[in-house]
Amino acid sequence: MQRITITIEDDLLAEIDAAAEARGYQNRSEIIRDLARAGLQQSAEEAPSGQCVAALVYVYDHAARDLSKRLVQNFHGHHDLSLATLHVHLDDDSCMEVTALKGASSEVRHLADHVIAERGVRYGRVVMIPTAADKKPRKRGHGHDYGCTAA
């Protein structure tokens, strides 16, 4: 077993300590190991293979040094995966972005992992939904048919 040093925000550490106490853990190391194992297991279970659509949601500190620039570079480097992004100002320090992605699951996961791992990103989650690789959208003359007739 190795000993490591990590840096955790005060609020997050307080949540970890409260969860450890509520669940009866003897120390922080035990709960952090269990949380890490659970996160790795969940990540492995959520990864579809083949083509997918995905929603990448993350909250970040908009004032973090060069973070906005690094995020833009990540998305420009994977412009073929990104369909649209919604940007929301949460408070004086935090922004949330929701990005719709489409492409090979491995490439989508790679991009999502890099965005979530950026320093200054406080929370991130990707939801991946498998799609048929060879299915092409149907062509329609005017878009969706909702049963309406043009006047």
Side-chain angles (χ1 to χ4, degrees):
M1 190 172 303
Q2 293 187 26
R3 181 179 302 263
I4 63 169
T5 302
I6 61 172
T7 304
I8 298 180
E9 293 122 356
D10 293 339
D11 294 345
L12 180 56
L13 186 56
E15 286 184 55
I16 291 170
D17 287 342
E21 184 176 340
R23 297 177 189 175
Y25 283 92
Q26 297 299 310
N27 57 55
R28 289 176 176 160
S29 293
E30 290 178 18
I31 191 168
I32 289 173
R33 279 193 295 269
D34 281 354
L35 291 171
R37 283 187 202 102
L40 290 169
Q41 181 181 4
Q42 180 182 1
S43 181
E45 291 171 356
E46 291 176 352
S49 59
Q51 296 292 304
C52 74
V53 291
L56 172 58
V57 181
Y58 56 100
V59 175
Y60 66 97
D61 177 356
H62 74 89
R65 184 176 177 177
D66 294 328
L67 178 58
S68 295
K69 181 179 177 182
R70 292 191 314 270
L71 291 171
V72 167
Q73 287 172 339
N74 270 321
F75 284 106
H76 277 271
H78 298 89
H79 63 86
D80 54 321
L81 301 176
S82 182
L83 300 174
T85 298
L86 169 70
H87 180 93
V88 180
H89 300 276
L90 300 176
D91 56 38
D92 290 341
D93 300 319
S94 302
C95 293
M96 178 178 73
E97 290 192 351
V98 180
T99 300
L101 302 168
K102 183 177 182 180
S105 297
S106 59
E107 293 177 26
V108 168
R109 170 63 66 187
H110 178 78
L111 172 59
D113 288 346
H114 277 81
V115 169
I116 292 168
E118 284 287 350
R119 183 181 208 130
V121 173
R122 296 186 182 127
Y123 172 86
R125 177 71 52 105
V126 63
V127 176
M128 299 171 66
I129 301 168
T131 61
D134 57 350
K135 194 167 186 176
K136 296 191 172 31
R138 284 187 275 168
K139 298 211 180 222
R140 298 182 191 244
H142 64 280
H144 295 284
D145 181 12
Y146 296 107
C148 300
T149 56

